Amino acid sequence: MTIRTATPADAESLARVSAITMREAFGPPFNPMAWVDAYIEASLTVPQLEQELADPRSTFFVAEGAEGELIGFAKVRKQRPPRRMPERNALEIQRIYLLQAHTGGGRGRQLMEHCLQFARAQGYKAVFLGVWERNERAQQFYSHLGFKPFGWHYFQFGPDRQRDIWMQKPL
């Protein structure tokens, strides 16, 4: 697997992989597919991703397989951390996803390490992320990498108000 910084030319591939990973992570049995599809159509379209790629506060990293195909991605975003987070000089890891067929082989750790190295190089003292309270596998993954919970927030998903757990890691 290779990791590189995404360019505007990656918007279409990012939209495709975003839709697949969204369905894999948040679809049935957790949420009705109609909710997932509505979220994809509102938030993960090519125009939306082009806009996010152009945002100077955001950086996408794409993970490519042996044939150069997109197998996952991460998005980091420069914004103020939640009030409950003591370290104020922190970068958000807003998204980190791999296609299900590529999980379990250390690729998620490699993608996360790339994000952490980027944050350190930018002078950040910590990173933070939100993880759905029902996504126990992701919570275990983050905990194993040294992330600690420090609060929570709501995320509106379809008609359901769901809780995300805030987790942080000092660098």
Side-chain angles (χ1 to χ4, degrees), residues 38-45 48-49 52 95:
Y39 181 82
I40 291 166
E41 296 210 9
S43 303
L44 300 174
T45 63
Q48 177 63 35
L49 287 162
E52 291 180 34
R95 296 181 197 146

Side-chain angles (χ1 to χ4, degrees), residues 3-131:
I3 300 170
R4 64 173 174 79
T5 303
T7 70
D10 292 307
E12 192 171 316
S13 295
L14 280 168
R16 182 181 47 77
V17 170
S18 293
I20 295 167
T21 57
M22 194 72 183
R23 288 182 179 106
E24 289 175 344
F26 299 104
F30 303 110
N31 295 292
M33 195 56 77
W35 295 3
V36 178
D37 288 340
Y39 181 82
I40 291 166
E41 296 210 9
S43 303
L44 300 174
T45 63
V46 172
Q48 177 63 35
L49 287 162
E50 287 172 338
Q51 196 173 22
E52 291 180 34
L53 284 160
D55 182 348
R57 296 170 296 172
S58 297
T59 302
F60 282 81
F61 301 110
V62 293
E64 297 174 327
E67 305 298 317
E69 74 282 13
L70 190 70
I71 62 170
F73 69 96
K75 177 187 177 189
V76 297
R77 183 168 163 82
K78 300 170 188 174
Q79 65 179 21
R80 278 189 287 217
R83 289 187 314 264
R84 289 167 277 205
M85 186 169 172
E87 177 57 64
R88 306 311 295 161
N89 183 15
L91 181 69
E92 181 180 17
I93 299 173
Q94 192 174 39
R95 296 181 197 146
I96 184 165
Y97 291 103
L98 283 172
L99 294 170
Q100 204 166 47
H102 296 276
T103 61
R107 292 178 190 96
R109 175 184 284 273
Q110 189 179 349
L111 188 54
M112 177 62 81
E113 280 300 323
H114 192 87
C115 294
L116 299 176
Q117 289 172 4
F118 176 82
R120 285 184 196 101
Q122 297 291 312
Y124 289 97
K125 302 293 182 203
V127 293
F128 67 100
L129 53 80
V131 58

